[in-house]
Amino acid sequence: EVQLLESGGGLVQPGGSLRLSCAASGFNFSSDAMTWVRQAPGKGLEWVSVISAGGGRTYYADSVQGRFTISRDNSRNTLYLQMNSLRDEDTAVYYCAKAFGDSSGKFDYWGQGTLVTVSS
Amino acid sequence: EIVLTQSPATLSLSPGERATLSCRASQSVSVYLAWYQQKPGQAPRLLIHDASNRATGIPARFSGSGSGTDFTLTISSLEPEDFAVYYCQQRSNWPLTFGGGTKVEIK
């Protein structure tokens, strides 16, 4: 059974940093691209970033480019999102999800999310 | 950036009725469009990928169609568990983008 478990969310002040983790199990983690998607309270889904299976290619939304860094440790089956220079508008539930097929852009399994609150 | 516009914003229907949800792209995305279902407090769930392919375990009452800029998600006969928010998402161009969602509510 595929499982994705996010952790690392919490309350942080504007300008602060946080690192999210996503522990994966039940599939061959090193074979699939992975992504982060966020959802602000009461709002829709917003794609954040994606990383290729091997970690060599990454893409970011303009809203987080230069502030967030996606990475992965295939030996630990874990995906990360380093978030720096956090802003109020980064407040959201952050979901990790796995890609499938020949694409890094469609996602078949999602974690339950971790809440990040940016506030003073 | 490709903008996805979903309509209507809210659809009020009764169980057993047919639901038709629309997603329009600001430029062609070929067939690279997916549909997700999200219930309150839950993660999104993949329903349809590449415009018309049902994901594993998705009931046959869900179907997707379209190509280019106009796409439709159809639920042939609404079950009580289908009342939720539905999002479309394109993977044709970076950045990936989602539509604003359609809420299917009980009439």
Side-chain angles (χ1 to χ4, degrees):
Chain A
E1 179 192 5
V2 173
Q3 290 195 341
L4 298 169
L5 183 61
E6 302 96 336
S7 61
L11 175 63
V12 60
Q13 293 188 336
S17 297
L18 213 54
R19 188 176 83 155
L20 305 183
S21 299
C22 171
S25 61
F27 66 102
N28 188 358
F29 181 75
S30 61
S31 294
D32 292 318
M34 297 291 296
T35 198
W36 291 97
V37 172
R38 67 184 181 183
Q39 187 168 38
K43 303 297 184 183
L45 301 172
E46 180 189 14
W47 173 73
V48 173
S49 182
V50 73
I51 187 167
S52 62
R57 286 181 292 121
T58 58
Y59 297 92
Y60 297 92
D62 288 347
S63 58
V64 306
Q65 179 78 49
R67 300 188 299 123
F68 290 12
T69 302
I70 191 171
S71 63
R72 63 193 297 161
D73 184 339
N74 286 346
S75 68
R76 295 176 181 268
N77 288 355
T78 304
L79 174 72
Y80 302 102
L81 186 67
Q82 177 67 44
M83 304 185 296
N84 298 331
S85 303
L86 283 160
R87 306 168 179 167
D88 290 351
E89 55 265 34
D90 296 317
T91 293
V93 173
Y94 284 73
Y95 296 101
C96 67
K98 71 172 278 295
F100 73 104
D102 60 350
S103 166
S104 56
K106 54 183 182 179
F107 310 109
D108 58 349
Y109 287 94
W110 296 61
Q112 283 305 301
T114 186
L115 176 63
V116 172
T117 303
V118 183
S119 175
S120 54
Chain B
E1 168 175 319
I2 295 177
V3 176
L4 299 178
T5 302
Q6 291 188 241
S7 62
T10 303
L11 198 51
S12 298
L13 295 168
S14 300
E17 289 193 293
R18 182 183 190 89
T20 303
L21 288 65
S22 173
C23 176
R24 178 162 290 177
S26 58
Q27 64 188 78
S28 177
V29 298
S30 184
V31 294
Y32 301 129
L33 189 104
W35 291 92
Y36 299 86
Q37 176 194 68
Q38 189 179 34
K39 298 178 182 179
Q42 296 186 17
R45 173 194 183 197
L46 177 68
L47 299 175
I48 302 288
H49 66 92
D50 296 338
S52 61
N53 297 291
R54 265 191 307 277
T56 303
I58 301 303
R61 63 181 182 274
F62 291 93
S63 64
S65 63
S67 65
T69 60
D70 290 301
F71 299 86
T72 301
L73 174 69
T74 302
I75 310 171
S76 60
S77 178
L78 282 164
E79 296 288 339
E81 62 267 28
D82 299 337
F83 292 91
V85 179
Y86 293 82
Y87 295 95
C88 57
Q89 176 241 321
Q90 66 81 22
R91 67 177 181 93
S92 176
N93 282 41
W94 301 102
L96 306 181
T97 50
F98 287 89
T102 290
K103 181 179 182 179
V104 178
E105 65 175 24
I106 300 176
K107 186 175 182 179

